[in-house]
């Protein structure tokens, strides 16, 4: 007999993935029958067989059921394994451990909670039935078992299980895609530069899988460097996609236009070219872009609605603030960006950041800036562990609601030639 591609696909799923597939390519749902009375087990098995349900197993006690589900006591601890059960028909009244107690145990494990449990009982006590449903059972059938009633409840429970499994698989697929997208997004971030008169590093912590912050720097030749840090409005996938668009045009824009006002204006033009129809939210981003000339010891910059950059010059206690001097990028068709300049003679360092760092402390912006300055002043050299400890503590990840980014530029005297 000649096998088709379809046959090979089914064989792959059956052998490699250990999935039971029927002739139509549909996953066969596995049913676990739990009853201490062999007669009841035989009756249920025969009903299932006549309805073409043949993928089932049996257990004569609640403890045996737990073993089949992968829950067993090992050295006084609970060992949990994966389960291939899709539905449990569980007798309510059994010796040693009844069905209600067993149901409660199953519900303790997240990977087993989605298995629908139908109680099979001869008890007509509404309080007991309510207790079973509260313990996690999704439905019940009464003895003597009515074939039509049993199969109707089984079909409903299995349909719900299939829908839950589909959603779980889809959610897992989305999570995997987001992880891959995060790796791609992280790959476009610039690597550190360490040279005699110029050094630049960054720390970055997204609030979700994908981020709305982006930093980059490029050598412009003759001891000049273009450095940009931007923060896209909002969070999540939409903001990250806008960020990736900007990343795709950034290098060409910076190396072609170079000057701060021209770069910001070009980014504004490119961003507005997206022309997203019927958007409910106006997207924009704040940015600070600098051209650092290490030979002339001069910094030209434009701050488009971004938190003020901090320039620590020599031994000065207070930094020079590189404050906003135009509106954020993308709000309007045209931008009037006026560049600012500062010069330095001594060694110093620049600290650029997104507002996620400011939000680490409450209060007004002045108080938040004092907090940052207190941690960022001092040594001009990059102290990664100190910065990570101050601003990127792992124990506050769940509490944060914004991306956090810090860019550090060390400016040394170096060789003027």
């Amino acid at each position: 007999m000649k096998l088709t591609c379809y046959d090979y696909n089914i064989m792959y799923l059956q052998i490699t993935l250990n999935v039971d597939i029927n002739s139509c390519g549909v996953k066969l749902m596995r049913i676990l029958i739990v009853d201490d009375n062999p007669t009841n087990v035989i009756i249920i098995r025969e009903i299932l067989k006549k309805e073409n349900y043949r993928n089932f197993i049996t257990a004569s006690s609640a403890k045996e059921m737990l073993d089949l589900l992968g829950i067993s006591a090992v050295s006084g601890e609970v060992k949990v394994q994966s389960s291939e059960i899709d539905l449990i028909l569980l007798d309510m009244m059994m010796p040693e451990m009844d069905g209600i107690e067993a149901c409660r145990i199953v519900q303790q494990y997240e990977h087993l909670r989605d298995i629908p449990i139908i109680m099979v009982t001869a008890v007509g006590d509404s309080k007991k039935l309510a207790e079973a449903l509260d313990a996690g059972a999704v439905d019940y059938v009464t003895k003597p078992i009515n074939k039509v009633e049993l199969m109707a409840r089984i079909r409903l429970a299995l349909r719900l299980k299939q829908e839950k499994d589909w959603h779980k698989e889809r959610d897992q697929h989305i999570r995997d895609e987001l992880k891959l997208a995060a790796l791609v997004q992280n790959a476009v971030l610039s690597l550190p530069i360490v040279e005699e008169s110029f050094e630049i590093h960054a720390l970055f912590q997204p609030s979700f899988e994908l981020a709305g912050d982006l930093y980059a720097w490029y050598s412009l030749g003759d001891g000049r460097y273009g450095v940009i840090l931007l923060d896209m409005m909002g969070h999540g996938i939409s903001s990250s996609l806008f960020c990736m668009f900007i990343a795709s045009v950034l290098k060409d824009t910076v190396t072609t236009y170079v000057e701060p006002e021209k770069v910001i204006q070009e980014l504004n033009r490119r961003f507005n070219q997206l022309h997203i129809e019927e958007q409910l939210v106006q997207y924009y981003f704040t940015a600070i872009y600098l051209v650092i000339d290490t030979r002339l010891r001069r910094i030209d910059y434009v701050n488009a609605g971004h938190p003020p950059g901090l320039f620590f010059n020599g031994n000065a206690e207070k930094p020079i603030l590189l404050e906003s001097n135009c509106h954020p990028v993308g709000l309007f068709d045209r931008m009037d960006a006026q560049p600012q300049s500062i010069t330095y003679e001594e060694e110093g360092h620049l600290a650029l950041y997104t507002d996620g760092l400011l939000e680490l402390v409450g209060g007004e912006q002045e108080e938040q800036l004092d907090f940052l300055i207190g941690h960022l002043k001092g040594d001009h050299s990059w102290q990664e562990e100190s910065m990570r400890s101050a601003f990127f503590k792992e124990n506050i990840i769940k509490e944060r609601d914004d991306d956090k980014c810090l860019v550090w530029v060390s400016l040394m005297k170096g060789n003027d030639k």
Side-chain angles (χ1 to χ4, degrees):
M1 181 181 68
K2 184 178 180 181
L3 295 177
T4 65
C5 291
Y6 172 83
D7 296 320
Y8 283 117
N9 287 335
I10 297 299
M11 291 171 61
Y12 172 81
L13 290 171
Q14 290 174 324
I15 299 171
T16 307
L17 302 180
N18 194 27
V19 174
D20 292 322
I21 305 292
N22 66 12
S23 59
C24 297
V26 178
K27 179 179 182 289
L28 298 178
M29 308 299 280
R30 172 171 282 191
I31 300 173
L32 171 58
I33 306 167
V34 186
D35 200 311
D36 62 314
N37 187 327
T39 302
N40 291 334
V41 173
I42 292 172
I43 292 172
I44 295 174
R45 286 176 60 181
E46 290 305 312
I47 291 174
L48 292 175
K49 285 180 180 179
K50 288 179 181 179
E51 294 294 325
N52 293 320
Y53 285 90
R54 301 183 181 278
N55 189 19
F56 52 79
I57 55 176
T58 63
S60 59
S61 68
K63 289 185 177 180
E64 186 178 348
M65 176 196 80
L66 296 178
D67 286 338
L68 289 170
L69 292 174
I71 305 173
S72 58
V74 178
S75 303
E77 297 181 357
V78 176
K79 182 179 180 182
V80 181
Q81 299 172 343
S82 61
S83 172
E84 296 297 328
I85 305 300
D86 296 296
L87 171 68
I88 300 175
L89 296 173
L90 179 59
D91 186 26
M92 183 182 289
M93 304 301 295
M94 291 183 292
E96 296 186 23
M97 182 187 297
D98 65 19
I100 295 176
E101 182 182 353
C103 190
R104 287 198 184 99
I105 292 174
V106 171
Q107 294 303 306
Q108 293 176 12
Y109 302 98
E110 187 175 353
H111 72 294
L112 299 176
R113 288 175 190 165
D114 287 339
I115 301 177
I117 298 176
I118 298 176
M119 287 291 185
V120 182
T121 178
V123 178
D125 186 348
S126 59
K127 289 184 178 180
K128 272 290 183 185
L129 293 174
E131 187 180 353
L133 295 174
D134 288 340
V138 298
D139 209 340
Y140 65 89
V141 292
T142 57
K143 300 176 183 177
I145 295 173
N146 180 291
K147 172 185 173 182
V148 175
E149 179 187 4
L150 175 64
M151 294 313 304
R153 296 181 188 277
I154 286 177
R155 281 192 289 268
L156 175 60
L158 288 177
R159 187 160 61 247
L160 292 174
K161 178 65 167 58
Q162 286 177 317
E163 290 176 359
K164 283 186 176 181
D165 288 347
W166 181 85
H167 283 289
K168 285 171 67 176
E169 290 175 5
R170 186 193 64 172
D171 291 345
Q172 184 60 51
H173 177 72
I174 292 173
R175 285 194 293 271
D176 292 341
E177 291 290 322
L178 287 174
K179 288 179 181 178
L180 177 58
L183 291 174
V184 173
Q185 190 177 39
N186 193 63
V188 306
L189 299 175
S190 296
L191 297 176
I193 295 176
V194 179
E195 295 185 354
E196 187 178 9
S197 58
F198 178 87
E199 188 173 323
I200 185 166
H201 300 268
L203 284 174
F204 179 51
Q205 191 177 66
S207 57
F208 302 101
E209 286 89 349
L210 300 178
D213 290 357
L214 175 67
Y215 62 82
W217 42 80
Y218 308 95
S219 174
L220 302 174
D222 297 325
R224 295 189 305 162
Y225 301 88
V227 179
I228 189 167
L229 173 62
L230 64 88
D231 185 356
M232 193 69 60
M233 185 280 293
H235 308 284
I237 296 175
S238 57
S239 294
S240 69
L241 289 174
F242 282 117
C243 261
M244 292 303 291
F245 169 76
I246 294 299
S248 69
V249 302
L250 198 52
K251 183 176 182 180
D252 180 63
T253 301
V254 169
T255 55
T256 300
Y257 293 89
V258 180
E259 302 304 326
E261 71 277 17
K262 294 180 180 178
V263 167
I264 290 296
Q265 289 168 348
E266 176 63 10
L267 290 178
N268 186 73
R269 187 187 70 83
R270 293 286 192 106
F271 195 72
N272 282 313
Q273 280 183 331
L274 291 174
H275 293 304
I276 299 175
E277 298 276 337
E278 299 178 0
Q279 59 177 338
L280 298 177
V281 179
Q282 173 67 50
Y283 281 91
Y284 62 88
F285 62 89
T286 66
I288 183 168
Y289 171 67
L290 311 89
V291 174
I292 302 172
D293 192 322
T294 60
R295 293 188 176 184
L296 297 179
R297 296 196 177 108
R298 172 172 161 169
I299 302 169
D300 299 320
Y301 71 92
V302 165
N303 186 330
H306 201 77
L310 305 174
F311 178 52
F312 297 86
N313 191 13
N315 297 320
E317 279 294 314
K318 292 185 178 181
I320 299 172
L321 301 185
L322 282 61
E323 296 184 285
S324 174
N325 50 18
C326 66
H327 59 74
V329 180
L331 282 179
F332 306 104
D333 291 338
R334 297 177 62 85
M335 287 193 70
D336 182 18
Q338 298 297 326
Q340 304 292 316
S341 299
I342 56 176
T343 58
Y344 62 97
E345 293 296 331
E346 303 179 78
E347 294 185 346
H349 68 274
L350 277 160
L352 311 178
Y353 52 90
T354 54
D355 55 11
L357 261 64
L358 289 174
E359 293 167 1
L360 288 174
V361 293
E364 300 297 323
Q365 188 183 57
E366 186 176 347
E367 297 174 272
Q368 295 173 329
L369 278 175
D370 288 340
F371 166 76
L372 288 183
I373 292 169
H375 286 86
L376 296 171
K377 67 181 181 180
D379 196 339
H380 300 310
S381 62
W382 172 239
Q383 306 292 332
E384 181 169 330
E385 290 307 315
S386 175
M387 295 299 102
R388 192 181 297 278
S389 175
F391 303 115
F392 300 86
K393 298 176 183 177
E394 293 297 325
N395 61 350
I396 62 172
I397 289 178
K398 293 182 180 178
E399 299 174 9
R400 72 180 190 272
D401 59 359
D402 202 357
D403 304 323
K404 294 193 299 185
C405 186
L406 171 66
V407 174
W408 181 287
V409 182
S410 296
L411 301 171
M412 288 75 73
K413 289 184 178 180
N415 189 345
D416 293 339
K417 293 181 181 180

